[in-house]
Amino acid sequence: MTQFLPANLLALFAPRDPLPYLPPPAPRHNNEESTLTGVGMYTSLFEDPADTPEPVKQPTKAERREEKRQEKIERHTLIVERGIARWDPHSDPNATGDAFKTVFVSRINYDTREEKLRREFEEYGYIRRIHMVTNKMDDKPRGYAFIEYETEKGMRGAFKYGDGKKIDGRRVVVDIERGRTVKNWKPRRLGGGLGGSRIGPPEVNITHSGRVDPKQYKEKLEKAEALRIKSLNPDPEDEDGEGERSPSRERSEKRRDDDDRGRRDDRRMVRNDNDSRSRGRSDDRKRDDRDERRGRDDGRRDDRGRRDDDRGRRDDDRGRRDDDRGRRDDRDDDRRRRDRDDSDRYGDRKRDRRGGDDDRERDRKRRDRGEERSEDKSKDYDGLKVKSDETGAPDQVEIKAE
């Protein structure tokens, strides 16, 4: 079969050329000819110790991190100083209302709209204006707003009862407007504010909802600063336990006391954090219960309002039915009146016909009587026989009976 294949396919089955023969390579190292020498001949080329530069100390990872942090702080401080120089809340075109009737609402869900916010806060008083702060670049909400009430009573009610209210799954923080009411007040972006959710590490941040107590805020700041300093200056004895031990018994006892005191402080701090978390959870639970009760009350009010609406609709339907019944009665009265008028007209017509018949009957009878009378007269005249005297005047009349 292969003899019938074309040349290009037969070339694929052709054998390869044999491998060429090469002589074996020479050995790389000849142990008999190689000799080992020292470095003594090269010592003259070494660097003079007097000319050796000082060793460069490389920064540690913590030091590099602190250096970057200081650079960021300096840049941010410069930006904040420029912002403080330009910031004037009294000349803000968006802040046109009364500052003592305005509340500040933060931690708002980004999907919450102004209508929803108005419905939630209208229960404390009539709202004059709501200003939701948005990003100037993409017009997206920034999570806080200012609500101006008509009266100070509404503002106090929202400040007292609206803090921690859950709206669209998030608990909001309600505070007074401090920009135009508190002297030397600075917002959060310029280094001020009372927020406690971004103070430092997670163990010092304030996680519960609601307003933050300034004293608690100050304690958290001091604790965060202490933890930062401790992370920058670690104690080798605390970390590795390989520090130099003093032979003196007093130093060992003092170190032991310091360690015990530090542990007690840590336990107390953890206990306080747990208490604050438990208080925060209990407060959240209370607020949830209050919102649930309020929701039930709102549901009851809605049910009552629906029942009242149904009752009003039933009354309206009953009134319409009464009106329809009255209109039907009026139509029946009109129909009876028309029937009575028709019957009266029919009776009058009947009486007229009967009266006309009577009149015709009387006329006929009268004519009959007149005819009979005329006949009788003619008969009487025919039966009369007149007698006359000699003078020719009638003397007497003699009726001839037939």
Side-chain angles (χ1 to χ4, degrees), residues 349-384:
R349 193 178 302 111
K350 193 173 182 181
R351 282 194 299 272
D352 293 340
R353 286 198 299 270
R354 190 182 299 114
D357 295 339
D358 295 340
D359 294 337
R360 283 193 293 276
E361 185 68 23
R362 281 196 299 272
D363 294 339
R364 185 177 60 78
K365 290 179 179 181
R366 189 177 298 111
R367 285 195 301 272
D368 293 342
R369 285 197 301 270
E371 292 176 355
E372 291 177 357
R373 190 178 296 111
S374 59
E375 290 177 358
D376 293 341
K377 287 182 178 180
S378 61
K379 288 179 180 180
D380 292 339
Y381 283 118
D382 292 338
L384 288 178

mmCIF file of all heavy atoms in Angstrom, residues 349-384:
data_model
loop_
_atom_site.group_PDB
_atom_site.id
_atom_site.type_symbol
_atom_site.label_atom_id
_atom_site.label_comp_id
_atom_site.label_asym_id
_atom_site.label_seq_id
_atom_site.Cartn_x
_atom_site.Cartn_y
_atom_site.Cartn_z
ATOM 1 N N ARG A 349 -113.545 64.221 32.649
ATOM 2 C CA ARG A 349 -113.982 63.944 31.288
ATOM 3 C C ARG A 349 -115.248 63.088 31.271
ATOM 4 O O ARG A 349 -116.174 63.282 30.490
ATOM 5 C CB ARG A 349 -112.848 63.257 30.537
ATOM 6 C CG ARG A 349 -113.052 63.202 29.029
ATOM 7 C CD ARG A 349 -111.876 62.556 28.331
ATOM 8 N NE ARG A 349 -110.631 63.242 28.594
ATOM 9 C CZ ARG A 349 -109.638 62.744 29.319
ATOM 10 N NH1 ARG A 349 -109.776 61.541 29.846
ATOM 11 N NH2 ARG A 349 -108.552 63.442 29.516
ATOM 12 N N LYS A 350 -115.252 62.091 32.212
ATOM 13 C CA LYS A 350 -116.429 61.223 32.286
ATOM 14 C C LYS A 350 -117.657 62.001 32.724
ATOM 15 O O LYS A 350 -118.762 61.834 32.180
ATOM 16 C CB LYS A 350 -116.113 60.097 33.253
ATOM 17 C CG LYS A 350 -117.122 58.959 33.198
ATOM 18 C CD LYS A 350 -116.630 57.818 34.064
ATOM 19 C CE LYS A 350 -117.605 56.638 33.997
ATOM 20 N NZ LYS A 350 -117.153 55.530 34.848
ATOM 21 N N ARG A 351 -117.407 62.859 33.720
ATOM 22 C CA ARG A 351 -118.540 63.689 34.156
ATOM 23 C C ARG A 351 -118.986 64.622 33.050
ATOM 24 O O ARG A 351 -120.183 64.873 32.871
ATOM 25 C CB ARG A 351 -118.121 64.482 35.405
ATOM 26 C CG ARG A 351 -118.125 63.646 36.680
ATOM 27 C CD ARG A 351 -118.032 64.558 37.901
ATOM 28 N NE ARG A 351 -116.801 65.328 37.889
ATOM 29 C CZ ARG A 351 -115.655 64.903 38.415
ATOM 30 N NH1 ARG A 351 -115.614 63.699 38.983
ATOM 31 N NH2 ARG A 351 -114.567 65.654 38.382
ATOM 32 N N ASP A 352 -118.029 65.115 32.322
ATOM 33 C CA ASP A 352 -118.413 65.996 31.224
ATOM 34 C C ASP A 352 -119.246 65.235 30.195
ATOM 35 O O ASP A 352 -120.263 65.738 29.684
ATOM 36 C CB ASP A 352 -117.157 66.587 30.574
ATOM 37 C CG ASP A 352 -116.446 67.531 31.521
ATOM 38 O OD1 ASP A 352 -117.092 68.015 32.474
ATOM 39 O OD2 ASP A 352 -115.211 67.791 31.324
ATOM 40 N N ARG A 353 -118.768 63.997 29.912
ATOM 41 C CA ARG A 353 -119.549 63.218 28.951
ATOM 42 C C ARG A 353 -120.947 62.903 29.502
ATOM 43 O O ARG A 353 -121.957 62.992 28.802
ATOM 44 C CB ARG A 353 -118.801 61.922 28.614
ATOM 45 C CG ARG A 353 -117.599 62.133 27.707
ATOM 46 C CD ARG A 353 -117.189 60.813 27.055
ATOM 47 N NE ARG A 353 -116.818 59.822 28.045
ATOM 48 C CZ ARG A 353 -115.596 59.643 28.531
ATOM 49 N NH1 ARG A 353 -114.623 60.444 28.087
ATOM 50 N NH2 ARG A 353 -115.346 58.724 29.425
ATOM 51 N N ARG A 354 -120.927 62.528 30.829
ATOM 52 C CA ARG A 354 -122.222 62.210 31.426
ATOM 53 C C ARG A 354 -123.118 63.454 31.458
ATOM 54 O O ARG A 354 -124.329 63.397 31.198
ATOM 55 C CB ARG A 354 -122.023 61.654 32.832
ATOM 56 C CG ARG A 354 -123.305 61.066 33.424
ATOM 57 C CD ARG A 354 -123.090 60.559 34.852
ATOM 58 N NE ARG A 354 -122.105 59.524 34.880
ATOM 59 C CZ ARG A 354 -120.929 59.658 35.475
ATOM 60 N NH1 ARG A 354 -120.628 60.815 36.054
ATOM 61 N NH2 ARG A 354 -120.059 58.681 35.484
ATOM 62 N N GLY A 355 -122.530 64.596 31.791
ATOM 63 C CA GLY A 355 -123.310 65.832 31.806
ATOM 64 C C GLY A 355 -123.813 66.193 30.413
ATOM 65 O O GLY A 355 -124.957 66.643 30.232
ATOM 66 N N GLY A 356 -122.963 65.983 29.398
ATOM 67 C CA GLY A 356 -123.422 66.266 28.038
ATOM 68 C C GLY A 356 -124.569 65.355 27.617
ATOM 69 O O GLY A 356 -125.530 65.789 26.976
ATOM 70 N N ASP A 357 -124.449 64.059 28.018
ATOM 71 C CA ASP A 357 -125.529 63.129 27.709
ATOM 72 C C ASP A 357 -126.830 63.552 28.402
ATOM 73 O O ASP A 357 -127.926 63.499 27.816
ATOM 74 C CB ASP A 357 -125.147 61.722 28.126
ATOM 75 C CG ASP A 357 -123.956 61.202 27.299
ATOM 76 O OD1 ASP A 357 -123.711 61.751 26.192
ATOM 77 O OD2 ASP A 357 -123.235 60.277 27.774
ATOM 78 N N ASP A 358 -126.669 63.954 29.662
ATOM 79 C CA ASP A 358 -127.860 64.397 30.411
ATOM 80 C C ASP A 358 -128.486 65.615 29.729
ATOM 81 O O ASP A 358 -129.728 65.721 29.602
ATOM 82 C CB ASP A 358 -127.512 64.714 31.853
ATOM 83 C CG ASP A 358 -127.069 63.461 32.604
ATOM 84 O OD1 ASP A 358 -127.389 62.337 32.140
ATOM 85 O OD2 ASP A 358 -126.388 63.605 33.657
ATOM 86 N N ASP A 359 -127.591 66.530 29.342
ATOM 87 C CA ASP A 359 -128.128 67.722 28.687
ATOM 88 C C ASP A 359 -128.833 67.365 27.380
ATOM 89 O O ASP A 359 -129.924 67.892 27.072
ATOM 90 C CB ASP A 359 -127.019 68.731 28.401
ATOM 91 C CG ASP A 359 -126.432 69.280 29.697
ATOM 92 O OD1 ASP A 359 -127.145 69.221 30.731
ATOM 93 O OD2 ASP A 359 -125.257 69.759 29.679
ATOM 94 N N ARG A 360 -128.236 66.478 26.652
ATOM 95 C CA ARG A 360 -128.871 66.087 25.394
ATOM 96 C C ARG A 360 -130.197 65.356 25.656
ATOM 97 O O ARG A 360 -131.192 65.521 24.935
ATOM 98 C CB ARG A 360 -127.900 65.192 24.608
ATOM 99 C CG ARG A 360 -126.782 65.975 23.922
ATOM 100 C CD ARG A 360 -126.054 65.113 22.915
ATOM 101 N NE ARG A 360 -125.312 64.021 23.566
ATOM 102 C CZ ARG A 360 -124.109 64.153 24.063
ATOM 103 N NH1 ARG A 360 -123.481 65.332 23.977
ATOM 104 N NH2 ARG A 360 -123.521 63.120 24.645
ATOM 105 N N GLU A 361 -130.146 64.520 26.738
ATOM 106 C CA GLU A 361 -131.395 63.813 27.084
ATOM 107 C C GLU A 361 -132.471 64.808 27.466
ATOM 108 O O GLU A 361 -133.660 64.674 27.078
ATOM 109 C CB GLU A 361 -131.117 62.828 28.209
ATOM 110 C CG GLU A 361 -132.297 61.940 28.572
ATOM 111 C CD GLU A 361 -132.636 60.966 27.464
ATOM 112 O OE1 GLU A 361 -131.713 60.670 26.626
ATOM 113 O OE2 GLU A 361 -133.785 60.506 27.383
ATOM 114 N N ARG A 362 -132.099 65.834 28.261
ATOM 115 C CA ARG A 362 -133.096 66.838 28.652
ATOM 116 C C ARG A 362 -133.603 67.603 27.436
ATOM 117 O O ARG A 362 -134.814 67.869 27.302
ATOM 118 C CB ARG A 362 -132.480 67.813 29.679
ATOM 119 C CG ARG A 362 -132.422 67.254 31.083
ATOM 120 C CD ARG A 362 -132.188 68.398 32.080
ATOM 121 N NE ARG A 362 -130.924 69.077 31.808
ATOM 122 C CZ ARG A 362 -129.754 68.705 32.304
ATOM 123 N NH1 ARG A 362 -129.709 67.637 33.119
ATOM 124 N NH2 ARG A 362 -128.658 69.363 32.016
ATOM 125 N N ASP A 363 -132.660 67.919 26.563
ATOM 126 C CA ASP A 363 -133.097 68.646 25.361
ATOM 127 C C ASP A 363 -134.054 67.794 24.535
ATOM 128 O O ASP A 363 -135.063 68.275 24.003
ATOM 129 C CB ASP A 363 -131.877 69.055 24.534
ATOM 130 C CG ASP A 363 -131.016 70.059 25.262
ATOM 131 O OD1 ASP A 363 -131.521 70.726 26.181
ATOM 132 O OD2 ASP A 363 -129.786 70.188 24.926
ATOM 133 N N ARG A 364 -133.651 66.500 24.456
ATOM 134 C CA ARG A 364 -134.507 65.620 23.669
ATOM 135 C C ARG A 364 -135.893 65.507 24.302
ATOM 136 O O ARG A 364 -136.934 65.581 23.627
ATOM 137 C CB ARG A 364 -133.861 64.239 23.557
ATOM 138 C CG ARG A 364 -134.604 63.258 22.641
ATOM 139 C CD ARG A 364 -133.846 61.978 22.551
ATOM 140 N NE ARG A 364 -133.696 61.369 23.858
ATOM 141 C CZ ARG A 364 -134.687 60.690 24.469
ATOM 142 N NH1 ARG A 364 -135.875 60.578 23.910
ATOM 143 N NH2 ARG A 364 -134.482 60.170 25.653
ATOM 144 N N LYS A 365 -135.865 65.320 25.680
ATOM 145 C CA LYS A 365 -137.155 65.236 26.364
ATOM 146 C C LYS A 365 -137.934 66.538 26.209
ATOM 147 O O LYS A 365 -139.151 66.541 26.037
ATOM 148 C CB LYS A 365 -136.958 64.923 27.834
ATOM 149 C CG LYS A 365 -136.469 63.505 28.085
ATOM 150 C CD LYS A 365 -136.278 63.270 29.566
ATOM 151 C CE LYS A 365 -135.809 61.830 29.820
ATOM 152 N NZ LYS A 365 -135.637 61.601 31.256
ATOM 153 N N ARG A 366 -137.206 67.661 26.263
ATOM 154 C CA ARG A 366 -137.897 68.936 26.149
ATOM 155 C C ARG A 366 -138.499 69.080 24.753
ATOM 156 O O ARG A 366 -139.631 69.581 24.571
ATOM 157 C CB ARG A 366 -136.917 70.085 26.441
ATOM 158 C CG ARG A 366 -137.581 71.440 26.572
ATOM 159 C CD ARG A 366 -136.565 72.521 26.935
ATOM 160 N NE ARG A 366 -135.944 72.286 28.202
ATOM 161 C CZ ARG A 366 -134.673 71.950 28.391
ATOM 162 N NH1 ARG A 366 -133.882 71.831 27.336
ATOM 163 N NH2 ARG A 366 -134.198 71.750 29.598
ATOM 164 N N ARG A 367 -137.712 68.666 23.753
ATOM 165 C CA ARG A 367 -138.245 68.742 22.399
ATOM 166 C C ARG A 367 -139.467 67.829 22.243
ATOM 167 O O ARG A 367 -140.463 68.175 21.600
ATOM 168 C CB ARG A 367 -137.144 68.362 21.392
ATOM 169 C CG ARG A 367 -136.108 69.446 21.189
ATOM 170 C CD ARG A 367 -135.282 69.161 19.952
ATOM 171 N NE ARG A 367 -134.601 67.864 20.037
ATOM 172 C CZ ARG A 367 -133.404 67.703 20.578
ATOM 173 N NH1 ARG A 367 -132.764 68.752 21.105
ATOM 174 N NH2 ARG A 367 -132.858 66.498 20.626
ATOM 175 N N ASP A 368 -139.303 66.613 22.895
ATOM 176 C CA ASP A 368 -140.433 65.677 22.805
ATOM 177 C C ASP A 368 -141.686 66.283 23.454
ATOM 178 O O ASP A 368 -142.805 66.194 22.910
ATOM 179 C CB ASP A 368 -140.093 64.351 23.459
ATOM 180 C CG ASP A 368 -139.011 63.619 22.679
ATOM 181 O OD1 ASP A 368 -138.783 63.954 21.482
ATOM 182 O OD2 ASP A 368 -138.314 62.726 23.263
ATOM 183 N N ARG A 369 -141.434 66.881 24.626
ATOM 184 C CA ARG A 369 -142.603 67.496 25.288
ATOM 185 C C ARG A 369 -143.182 68.644 24.446
ATOM 186 O O ARG A 369 -144.386 68.846 24.353
ATOM 187 C CB ARG A 369 -142.213 68.002 26.693
ATOM 188 C CG ARG A 369 -142.066 66.878 27.709
ATOM 189 C CD ARG A 369 -142.098 67.457 29.126
ATOM 190 N NE ARG A 369 -141.028 68.428 29.312
ATOM 191 C CZ ARG A 369 -139.812 68.111 29.756
ATOM 192 N NH1 ARG A 369 -139.531 66.831 30.028
ATOM 193 N NH2 ARG A 369 -138.922 69.030 29.923
ATOM 194 N N GLY A 370 -142.288 69.412 23.859
ATOM 195 C CA GLY A 370 -142.774 70.522 23.035
ATOM 196 C C GLY A 370 -143.577 70.007 21.824
ATOM 197 O O GLY A 370 -144.607 70.570 21.465
ATOM 198 N N GLU A 371 -143.061 68.924 21.225
ATOM 199 C CA GLU A 371 -143.786 68.359 20.101
ATOM 200 C C GLU A 371 -145.134 67.828 20.540
ATOM 201 O O GLU A 371 -146.179 68.019 19.855
ATOM 202 C CB GLU A 371 -142.943 67.256 19.459
ATOM 203 C CG GLU A 371 -141.694 67.778 18.772
ATOM 204 C CD GLU A 371 -140.849 66.643 18.241
ATOM 205 O OE1 GLU A 371 -141.206 65.475 18.495
ATOM 206 O OE2 GLU A 371 -139.792 66.927 17.596
ATOM 207 N N GLU A 372 -145.147 67.120 21.703
ATOM 208 C CA GLU A 372 -146.423 66.600 22.197
ATOM 209 C C GLU A 372 -147.398 67.752 22.488
ATOM 210 O O GLU A 372 -148.592 67.674 22.197
ATOM 211 C CB GLU A 372 -146.181 65.772 23.469
ATOM 212 C CG GLU A 372 -145.438 64.467 23.209
ATOM 213 C CD GLU A 372 -145.172 63.732 24.486
ATOM 214 O OE1 GLU A 372 -145.525 64.268 25.579
ATOM 215 O OE2 GLU A 372 -144.571 62.605 24.438
ATOM 216 N N ARG A 373 -146.827 68.826 23.056
ATOM 217 C CA ARG A 373 -147.715 69.952 23.379
ATOM 218 C C ARG A 373 -148.288 70.589 22.091
ATOM 219 O O ARG A 373 -149.463 70.963 22.024
ATOM 220 C CB ARG A 373 -146.941 70.997 24.195
ATOM 221 C CG ARG A 373 -147.827 72.074 24.777
ATOM 222 C CD ARG A 373 -147.002 73.051 25.610
ATOM 223 N NE ARG A 373 -146.399 72.402 26.756
ATOM 224 C CZ ARG A 373 -145.105 72.190 26.889
ATOM 225 N NH1 ARG A 373 -144.263 72.612 25.944
ATOM 226 N NH2 ARG A 373 -144.640 71.571 27.955
ATOM 227 N N SER A 374 -147.430 70.677 21.092
ATOM 228 C CA SER A 374 -147.927 71.283 19.843
ATOM 229 C C SER A 374 -148.982 70.389 19.175
ATOM 230 O O SER A 374 -149.977 70.868 18.635
ATOM 231 C CB SER A 374 -146.748 71.524 18.898
ATOM 232 O OG SER A 374 -146.094 70.304 18.618
ATOM 233 N N GLU A 375 -148.740 69.080 19.294
ATOM 234 C CA GLU A 375 -149.735 68.164 18.742
ATOM 235 C C GLU A 375 -151.066 68.263 19.492
ATOM 236 O O GLU A 375 -152.143 68.252 18.909
ATOM 237 C CB GLU A 375 -149.200 66.726 18.792
ATOM 238 C CG GLU A 375 -148.054 66.485 17.815
ATOM 239 C CD GLU A 375 -147.505 65.095 17.940
ATOM 240 O OE1 GLU A 375 -148.010 64.327 18.820
ATOM 241 O OE2 GLU A 375 -146.565 64.724 17.179
ATOM 242 N N ASP A 376 -150.893 68.352 20.830
ATOM 243 C CA ASP A 376 -152.117 68.485 21.631
ATOM 244 C C ASP A 376 -152.865 69.782 21.254
ATOM 245 O O ASP A 376 -154.101 69.810 21.177
ATOM 246 C CB ASP A 376 -151.788 68.475 23.124
ATOM 247 C CG ASP A 376 -151.265 67.095 23.532
ATOM 248 O OD1 ASP A 376 -151.497 66.093 22.807
ATOM 249 O OD2 ASP A 376 -150.552 67.017 24.589
ATOM 250 N N LYS A 377 -152.157 70.815 21.065
ATOM 251 C CA LYS A 377 -152.804 72.083 20.707
ATOM 252 C C LYS A 377 -153.520 71.965 19.360
ATOM 253 O O LYS A 377 -154.619 72.448 19.180
ATOM 254 C CB LYS A 377 -151.764 73.213 20.658
ATOM 255 C CG LYS A 377 -151.312 73.628 22.023
ATOM 256 C CD LYS A 377 -150.322 74.791 21.897
ATOM 257 C CE LYS A 377 -149.903 75.242 23.257
ATOM 258 N NZ LYS A 377 -148.949 76.360 23.183
ATOM 259 N N SER A 378 -152.781 71.328 18.447
ATOM 260 C CA SER A 378 -153.416 71.197 17.135
ATOM 261 C C SER A 378 -154.683 70.348 17.222
ATOM 262 O O SER A 378 -155.700 70.626 16.576
ATOM 263 C CB SER A 378 -152.418 70.595 16.136
ATOM 264 O OG SER A 378 -152.039 69.313 16.573
ATOM 265 N N LYS A 379 -154.591 69.321 18.066
ATOM 266 C CA LYS A 379 -155.763 68.478 18.257
ATOM 267 C C LYS A 379 -156.890 69.280 18.903
ATOM 268 O O LYS A 379 -158.084 69.172 18.548
ATOM 269 C CB LYS A 379 -155.435 67.267 19.105
ATOM 270 C CG LYS A 379 -154.590 66.242 18.368
ATOM 271 C CD LYS A 379 -154.282 65.051 19.284
ATOM 272 C CE LYS A 379 -153.427 64.026 18.552
ATOM 273 N NZ LYS A 379 -153.128 62.895 19.431
ATOM 274 N N ASP A 380 -156.510 70.078 19.910
ATOM 275 C CA ASP A 380 -157.543 70.885 20.587
ATOM 276 C C ASP A 380 -158.190 71.852 19.588
ATOM 277 O O ASP A 380 -159.428 72.063 19.603
ATOM 278 C CB ASP A 380 -156.939 71.660 21.756
ATOM 279 C CG ASP A 380 -156.523 70.691 22.871
ATOM 280 O OD1 ASP A 380 -157.047 69.543 22.917
ATOM 281 O OD2 ASP A 380 -155.649 71.078 23.699
ATOM 282 N N TYR A 381 -157.381 72.432 18.784
ATOM 283 C CA TYR A 381 -157.931 73.371 17.820
ATOM 284 C C TYR A 381 -158.810 72.657 16.803
ATOM 285 O O TYR A 381 -159.830 73.178 16.335
ATOM 286 C CB TYR A 381 -156.817 74.158 17.105
ATOM 287 C CG TYR A 381 -156.247 75.252 17.951
ATOM 288 C CD1 TYR A 381 -154.924 75.247 18.314
ATOM 289 C CD2 TYR A 381 -157.084 76.294 18.384
ATOM 290 C CE1 TYR A 381 -154.421 76.244 19.103
ATOM 291 C CE2 TYR A 381 -156.570 77.288 19.177
ATOM 292 C CZ TYR A 381 -155.245 77.270 19.549
ATOM 293 O OH TYR A 381 -154.753 78.245 20.325
ATOM 294 N N ASP A 382 -158.418 71.486 16.484
ATOM 295 C CA ASP A 382 -159.251 70.759 15.515
ATOM 296 C C ASP A 382 -160.607 70.367 16.129
ATOM 297 O O ASP A 382 -161.642 70.295 15.440
ATOM 298 C CB ASP A 382 -158.498 69.501 15.029
ATOM 299 C CG ASP A 382 -157.302 69.877 14.206
ATOM 300 O OD1 ASP A 382 -157.262 71.003 13.652
ATOM 301 O OD2 ASP A 382 -156.327 69.050 14.103
ATOM 302 N N GLY A 383 -160.657 70.073 17.473
ATOM 303 C CA GLY A 383 -161.913 69.597 18.097
ATOM 304 C C GLY A 383 -162.832 70.726 18.568
ATOM 305 O O GLY A 383 -163.895 70.436 19.134
ATOM 306 N N LEU A 384 -162.377 71.968 18.467
ATOM 307 C CA LEU A 384 -163.207 73.074 18.954
ATOM 308 C C LEU A 384 -164.305 73.378 17.905
ATOM 309 O O LEU A 384 -164.032 73.339 16.707
ATOM 310 C CB LEU A 384 -162.342 74.304 19.210
ATOM 311 C CG LEU A 384 -161.409 74.238 20.451
ATOM 312 C CD1 LEU A 384 -160.605 75.515 20.516
ATOM 313 C CD2 LEU A 384 -162.255 74.090 21.723
#
